[in-house]
Amino acid sequence: VYIINVTWSDLSSQIIYRRYSKFFDLQMQLLDKFPIEGGQKDPKQRIIPFLPGKILFRRSHVRDVAVKRLKPIDEYCRALVRLPPHISQCDEVFRFFEARPEDLNPPKE
């Protein structure tokens, strides 16, 4: 689980918790919604950042994998919010970064 400090344009901030699978879901939604910006027709036109890939691992390596992904996940989030407004301010991105009821009682693992 990744802990993200979200600061909105009105300078309000909140802490949210997201699993890697939620980042992956967001990435798939963005690539489906924005095929040109996702580089599907011409890879040179891709502006949607790459998400660190899924890694197969044994249960005992979960923490190591999460730690290794920390910097790439941070870079992914920063690149995402710097995209043109039609992507960075789309519903999917807003929904991902909005606080959810489960953010009040975050996962323990």
Side-chain angles (χ1 to χ4, degrees):
V1 176
Y2 296 92
I3 302 168
I4 306 161
N5 183 8
V6 178
T7 302
W8 297 95
S9 57
D10 67 359
L11 301 182
S12 65
S13 66
Q14 61 199 67
I15 302 291
I16 63 170
Y17 303 84
R18 297 291 178 267
R19 295 187 180 278
Y20 176 83
S21 61
K22 297 301 176 193
F23 283 97
F24 186 80
D25 293 345
L26 172 64
Q27 181 75 344
M28 293 301 100
Q29 292 169 0
L30 294 177
L31 293 174
D32 284 345
K33 186 171 184 169
F34 304 106
I36 293 169
E37 295 88 339
Q40 288 180 20
K41 296 193 180 4
D42 180 0
K44 289 184 226 118
Q45 289 190 308
R46 182 177 181 131
I47 60 171
I48 293 176
F50 287 94
L51 182 66
K54 284 191 171 190
I55 300 171
L56 298 176
F57 51 85
R58 294 191 310 269
R59 196 76 181 132
S60 62
H61 292 95
V62 172
R63 181 170 172 71
D64 293 340
V65 170
V67 169
K68 283 181 187 161
R69 282 188 184 149
L70 197 55
K71 189 172 193 294
I73 290 280
D74 180 58
E75 291 168 354
Y76 175 80
C77 290
R78 290 175 188 279
L80 202 57
V81 298
R82 285 193 305 263
L83 290 173
H86 73 282
I87 302 173
S88 64
Q89 297 176 22
C90 73
D91 289 342
E92 291 81 359
V93 172
F94 274 138
R95 273 197 303 275
F96 180 82
F97 287 108
E98 278 180 338
R100 300 175 183 167
E102 59 265 31
D103 291 322
L104 300 175
N105 295 308
K108 302 268 187 284
E109 40 179 275

